């Protein structure tokens, strides 16, 4: 809070220094007390030596730096034995040594010394009220009073020091709730040190030779504290690159978001953005050059990431070849561009040149938590990789895994499981011969009317289901619906071929091919009246692997159509060894052929090549009469699109066919 009001924080430090000075001035009489005592100087030397062993530790989720040094047990023992002034002076010297070792400013050392002096002053007041000399040689009833005085003095020291430390941390910008956690840990550490002070005071009174023995347990405590800090650092750090790991990234998020919430009347800080980058073709480097070279590449990439101010973010390696940068920035896209520029220069590893590229996903925190932010950045990164772009920013519309879409997928699955024939249906779009005008076939298209959301776009729901077991369930239902419908049309005298779409996942499922054969036999329909449509990209992903399943389908007598032809940049010569009966020219070429010479040339050459290979051609997306005539002139076989008819419910098709035949006859 005070970090936004710098004068108030400065005033707090000035008051701390002034208070410490006032306390010292009131105890000048202690300055020379017992100055010649050997035990006193041994205690001073030990306190200073303890200061040389100080180190900075990180406490709490915010990773706040605090100083760990066991000087307090010696200076509090000096207070118990020789008074406030010697204790405060020794602590000031120790603070100077600590500041020198940890490279702190003189002003920071002065404020720390003042804080200790005020805490020692509070303890001195309690000792004076309870017993001016709790370690005098007597016995009887004063033992309880002495012990109570020492305990109360320790509590007073902790209370004053804790309050001053809290004020300092809040003044540095740490929210008070988080500051309380840090102060709690600091108070616990100092409590353990204060417990040793009475033992040291007694040792100084009995035999000064016992004092150095205190170093042994203190060194052990210091060592354990250092090891604990190192273990915590290792737990948050990637051992290969030295960057933060996923745990460290989460801690940085807590520090930036949870640790600095927006407050009424205060301008909220810029919410952090997360960049997730995945190296392209890293597996090829590992496979070709070995994992040692791959590790060297990862280290080189880590060194090329933009530097991040620890107060504003962190760079991390999430695992494998995936890195992340979390940062408060007004321009996350600019930071992503800086990442891409940094990786553009080739890396030379053992004389080999390795070109590095990466796909970067960018997401800005929306207040839903770390895991949501990380998922959004992952979604954006995969979107960039899929589009072939270097950078992509998270867009909810392209997120197939948001909670709302997962709920939608769950609803769709339930509709498939109960076989909801009212809301989940197949509509059919006619395919008309361009030479005769006769309707030769139809394509089955999914239609789903959600009970709450209404009609759902079929492309959206298929994209959600495509890489899940739901896709297999959908294909089974469509096979059931289409084969049953073809049988009904045959009984009504309508001999139509019906096409249905199948995904790559379905293509390699033995069960689905068996299911298709079983439904065709069950309904006693000619296999040639059922056609399977597969996208060009699905087959081109692995032509050799696709040959077996496609041959099994063709052996059933079922014809195969290659959908969206042209988008995969393949040629029919490449696919001629596959049992393809029909290709469907992608609508992006059909829509442009009336006004784009290149599109028209692509469509004409595709039709000619297909005819030479005795493959039927279908033009999808025909929406105007001019395109219809151009396709007929190019000798395309079938046309499908709104120019002829939209997809319709199966019970509407007979009436539409009658009207269509009447128009054709007229």
């Amino acid at each position: 809070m005070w970090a936004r009001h710098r004068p108030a924080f400065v005033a707090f430090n000035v008051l701390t220094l002034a208070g410490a000075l006032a306390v010292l001035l009131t105890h000048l009489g202690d300055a020379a007390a017992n100055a010649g005592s050997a035990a006193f100087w041994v205690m001073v030397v030990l306190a200073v030596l303890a200061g040389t062993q100080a180190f900075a530790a990180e406490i709490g989720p915010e990773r706040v730096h605090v100083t760990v040094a066991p000087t307090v047990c010696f200076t509090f023992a000096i207070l118990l034995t020789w008074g406030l002034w010697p204790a405060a002076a020794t602590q000031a010297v120790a603070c100077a040594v600590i500041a020198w070792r940890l490279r702190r400013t003189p002003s920071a050392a002065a404020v720390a010394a003042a804080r200790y002096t005020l805490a020692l002053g509070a303890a001195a007041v309690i000792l004076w009220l309870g017993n001016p000399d709790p370690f005098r040689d007597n016995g009887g009833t004063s033992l309880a009073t002495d012990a109570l005085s020492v305990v109360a003095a320790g509590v007073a020291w902790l209370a004053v020091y804790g309050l001053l430390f809290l004020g300092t941390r809040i003044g540095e910008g740490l929210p008070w709730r988080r500051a309380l956690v840090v102060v709690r840990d600091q108070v616990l550490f100092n409590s353990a040190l204060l417990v040793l002070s009475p033992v040291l005071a007694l040792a100084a009174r009995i035999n000064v030779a016992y004092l150095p023995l205190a170093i042994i347990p203190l060194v052990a405590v210091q060592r354990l504290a250092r090891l604990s800090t190192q273990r915590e650092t290792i737990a948050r750090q990637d051992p290969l690159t030295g960057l933060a790991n996923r745990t460290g990234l989460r801690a940085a998020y807590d520090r930036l978001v949870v640790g600095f919430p927006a407050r009424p009347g205060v301008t909220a800080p810029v919410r952090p953005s997360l960049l997730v980058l995945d190296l392209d073709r890293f597996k090829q480097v590992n496979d070709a050059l070995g994992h040692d070279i791959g590790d060297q590449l990862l280290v080189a990439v880590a060194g090329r990431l933009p530097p991040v101010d620890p107060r504003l973010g962190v760079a991390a390696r999430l695992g494998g070849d995936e890195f992340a940068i979390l940062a408060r920035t007004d321009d996350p896209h600019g930071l992503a561009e800086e990442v891409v520029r940094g990786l553009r220069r080739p890396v030379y590893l053992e004389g080999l040149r390795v070109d590095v590229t990466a796909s970067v996903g960018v997401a800005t925190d929306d207040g839903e938590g770390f895991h949501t932010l990380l998922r959004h950045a992952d979604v954006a990164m995969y979107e960039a990789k899929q589009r072939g772009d270097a950078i992509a920013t998270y867009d909810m519309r392209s997120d197939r895994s948001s909670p709302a879409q997962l709920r939608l997928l769950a609803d769709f699955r339930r509709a498939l499981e109960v076989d909801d024939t009212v809301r989940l249906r197949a509509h059919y779009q006619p395919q008309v011969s361009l030479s005769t005008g006769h309707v030769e076939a139809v394509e089955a298209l999914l239609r789903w009317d959600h009970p709450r959301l209404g009609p759902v776009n079929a492309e959206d729901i298929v994209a959600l289901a495509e890489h899940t077991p739901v896709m297999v369930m959908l294909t089974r239902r469509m096979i059931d619906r289409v084969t049953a419908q073809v049988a009904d049309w045959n009984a009504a005298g309508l001999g139509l071929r019906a096409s249905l779409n199948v995904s790559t996942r379905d293509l390699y499922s033995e069960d689905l091919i068996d299911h298709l054969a079983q439904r065709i036999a069950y309904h006693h329909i000619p296999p040639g009246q059922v056609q399977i449509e597969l996208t060009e990209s699905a087959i081109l992903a692995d032509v050799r692997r696709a040959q077996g399943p496609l041959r099994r389908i063709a052996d059933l007598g079922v014809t195969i159509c290659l959908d969206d032809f042209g988008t995969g940049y393949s040629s029919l010569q490449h696919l001629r060894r596959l049992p393809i009966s029909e290709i469907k020219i992608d609508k992006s070429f059909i829509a442009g052929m009336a006004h784009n010479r290149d599109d028209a040339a692509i469509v004409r050459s595709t039709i000619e090549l297909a005819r030479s290979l005795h493959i039927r051609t279908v033009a999808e997306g025909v929406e105007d009469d001019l395109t219809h005539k151009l396709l007929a002139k190019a000798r395309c076989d079938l046309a499908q699109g709104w120019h002829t008819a939209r997809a319709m419910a199966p019970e509407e098709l007979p009436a539409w066919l009658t009207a269509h035949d009447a128009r054709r006859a007229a």
Side-chain angles (χ1 to χ4, degrees):
M1 154 173 90
W2 288 356
R4 301 179 185 277
H5 302 283
R6 184 67 181 171
F9 181 44
V10 172
F12 173 77
N13 286 335
V14 170
L15 288 174
T16 301
L17 289 166
L21 183 59
V23 169
L24 291 176
L25 289 175
T26 59
H27 288 74
L28 280 175
D30 296 338
N34 297 301
S37 169
F40 168 73
W41 289 110
V42 170
M43 197 82 77
V44 170
V45 170
L46 292 176
V48 173
L49 288 176
T52 64
Q53 300 303 308
F55 67 94
E58 293 180 332
I59 293 180
E62 297 77 18
R63 316 313 301 151
V64 178
H65 287 277
V66 296
T67 301
V68 177
T71 59
V72 173
C73 63
F74 296 106
T75 55
F76 195 78
I78 292 173
L79 171 70
L80 294 175
T81 308
W82 292 286
L84 174 61
W85 228 101
T90 303
Q91 184 66 64
V93 173
C95 285
V97 172
I98 292 170
W100 166 77
R101 175 174 173 77
L102 300 181
R103 298 181 180 180
R104 305 280 170 80
T105 62
S107 59
V111 171
R115 200 161 51 232
Y116 282 113
T117 297
L118 288 174
L120 289 168
V125 171
I126 298 299
L127 289 173
W128 180 78
L129 291 175
N131 192 334
D133 187 4
F135 290 93
R136 68 181 181 273
D137 185 16
N138 61 13
T141 58
S142 64
L143 292 177
T145 305
D146 292 346
L148 184 60
S149 297
V150 173
V151 172
V155 171
W157 190 100
L158 292 171
V160 172
Y161 182 84
L163 288 173
L164 292 172
F165 191 80
L166 178 65
T168 300
R169 289 311 185 189
I170 292 176
E172 290 172 346
L174 194 65
W176 68 271
R177 292 195 181 191
R178 298 292 171 179
L180 282 175
V181 176
V182 177
V183 171
R184 178 201 64 191
D185 293 341
Q186 188 75 338
V187 167
L188 287 174
F189 174 73
N190 284 315
S191 298
L193 294 176
L194 291 181
V195 169
L196 289 174
S197 296
V199 178
L200 293 174
L202 286 172
R205 284 296 181 101
I206 298 171
N207 189 340
V208 69
Y210 292 150
L211 286 178
L213 297 178
I215 295 177
I216 298 174
L218 287 176
V219 168
V221 171
Q222 189 85 341
R223 180 64 176 166
L224 289 174
R226 190 183 292 272
L227 288 174
S228 176
T229 301
Q230 290 174 348
R231 281 197 298 269
E232 200 162 338
T233 300
I234 291 172
R236 297 168 183 267
Q237 191 177 69
D238 174 54
L240 177 64
T241 62
L243 301 177
N245 58 14
R246 190 180 296 265
T247 303
L249 184 67
R250 171 60 189 269
Y253 174 86
D254 289 341
R255 183 176 71 247
L256 293 179
V257 176
V258 181
F260 294 88
R263 294 181 290 275
V266 178
T267 303
V270 177
R271 298 199 72 85
S273 295
L274 180 64
L275 280 60
V276 170
L277 56 141
D278 184 83
L279 302 185
D280 300 325
R281 301 178 301 279
F282 177 73
K283 185 176 184 299
Q284 295 177 10
V285 174
N286 261 347
D287 293 344
L289 304 178
H291 290 280
D292 289 342
I293 300 295
D295 288 347
Q296 293 178 36
L297 178 59
L298 294 176
V299 173
V301 168
R304 294 187 176 189
L305 297 180
V308 182
D309 187 334
R311 296 170 298 179
L312 300 177
V314 70
R317 178 184 173 221
L318 301 180
D321 60 338
E322 196 171 60
F323 294 82
I325 297 177
L326 179 73
R328 283 192 188 278
T329 173
D330 293 319
D331 185 15
H333 194 274
L335 180 60
E337 290 177 340
E338 187 178 350
V339 170
V340 173
R341 285 195 301 270
L343 297 179
R344 207 167 272 165
R345 292 178 289 109
V347 178
Y348 291 91
L349 302 172
E350 297 189 3
L352 296 173
R353 170 177 170 147
V354 179
D355 293 308
V356 182
T357 58
S359 301
V360 184
V362 183
T364 299
D365 182 52
D366 58 5
E368 293 189 13
F370 172 75
H371 294 295
T372 298
L373 177 63
L374 182 58
R375 189 179 62 77
H376 287 177
D378 265 332
V379 169
M381 183 269 290
Y382 284 113
E383 183 71 14
K385 196 173 285 289
Q386 187 175 9
R387 296 198 317 239
D389 293 339
I391 303 169
T393 301
Y394 174 74
D395 185 346
M396 186 173 59
R397 292 170 296 183
S398 62
D399 188 354
R400 305 296 181 189
S401 302
S402 68
Q405 289 178 312
L406 291 177
R407 285 193 293 270
L408 184 67
L409 182 61
D411 292 342
F412 184 62
R413 181 182 189 122
R414 280 192 291 271
L416 290 171
E417 288 173 341
V418 301
D419 196 11
D420 187 348
T421 57
V422 176
R423 296 186 179 275
L424 191 63
R425 309 192 69 191
H427 282 203
Y428 298 86
Q429 188 171 32
Q431 296 176 345
V432 180
S433 170
L434 285 163
S435 58
T436 66
H438 178 67
V439 177
E440 292 188 5
V442 293
E443 181 185 2
L445 300 170
L446 174 68
R447 294 293 182 268
W448 181 38
D449 188 25
H450 191 278
R452 180 173 51 85
L453 302 176
V456 177
N457 187 293
E459 291 183 359
D460 291 342
I461 195 64
V462 169
L464 277 176
E466 188 170 10
H467 300 292
T468 72
V470 176
M471 193 66 204
V472 177
M473 297 173 61
L474 171 60
T475 304
R476 282 178 174 271
R477 288 287 179 237
M478 291 298 288
I479 289 174
D480 294 344
R481 301 282 176 84
V482 170
T483 52
Q485 189 60 60
V486 169
D488 290 344
W489 283 335
N490 285 347
L494 302 176
L496 294 172
R497 181 178 66 253
S499 300
L500 62 102
N501 292 278
V502 172
S503 72
T504 311
R505 187 187 184 99
D506 299 323
L507 177 63
Y508 302 120
S509 172
E510 298 282 343
D511 292 341
L512 279 177
I513 297 176
D514 292 340
H515 184 71
L516 175 63
Q518 190 269 333
R519 299 316 293 172
I520 289 173
Y522 177 82
H523 291 292
H524 304 290
I525 58 177
Q529 281 191 280
V530 178
Q531 181 167 271
I532 295 297
E533 289 193 15
L534 289 155
T535 61
E536 180 185 12
S537 57
I539 294 178
L540 285 180
D542 193 341
V543 176
R544 184 174 298 177
R545 185 185 179 196
Q547 282 183 302
L550 291 177
R551 190 63 64 187
R552 283 194 62 202
I553 293 173
D555 289 345
L556 294 177
V558 174
T559 56
I560 299 169
C561 172
L562 192 62
D563 196 6
D564 298 337
F565 185 80
T567 57
Y569 307 102
S570 64
S571 68
L572 286 174
Q573 294 293 341
H574 180 62
L575 300 172
R576 68 186 183 275
R577 62 182 181 272
L578 298 176
I580 304 296
S581 301
E582 176 181 289
I583 64 168
K584 185 176 285 188
I585 305 171
D586 189 69
K587 58 185 176 183
S588 62
F589 299 109
I590 302 299
M593 68 176 298
H595 52 78
N596 186 297
R597 292 182 179 181
D598 292 338
D599 286 347
I602 290 172
V603 171
R604 287 195 300 268
S605 61
T606 300
I607 292 171
E608 287 300 319
L609 184 56
R611 290 180 66 85
S612 68
L613 296 173
H614 307 290
I615 294 176
R616 187 170 54 245
T617 53
V618 180
E620 66 172 340
V622 181
E623 298 184 2
D624 57 73
D625 188 58
L626 177 57
T627 303
H628 190 275
K629 290 177 179 177
L630 290 173
L631 288 166
K633 185 178 179 180
R635 297 195 299 170
C636 181
D637 294 305
L638 300 173
Q640 175 183 345
W642 289 1
H643 178 69
T644 302
R646 293 174 181 255
M648 63 191 77
E651 60 270 16
E652 298 173 3
L653 189 63
W656 181 89
L657 286 172
T658 300
H660 174 77
D661 290 340
R663 287 194 301 272
R664 188 162 58 90

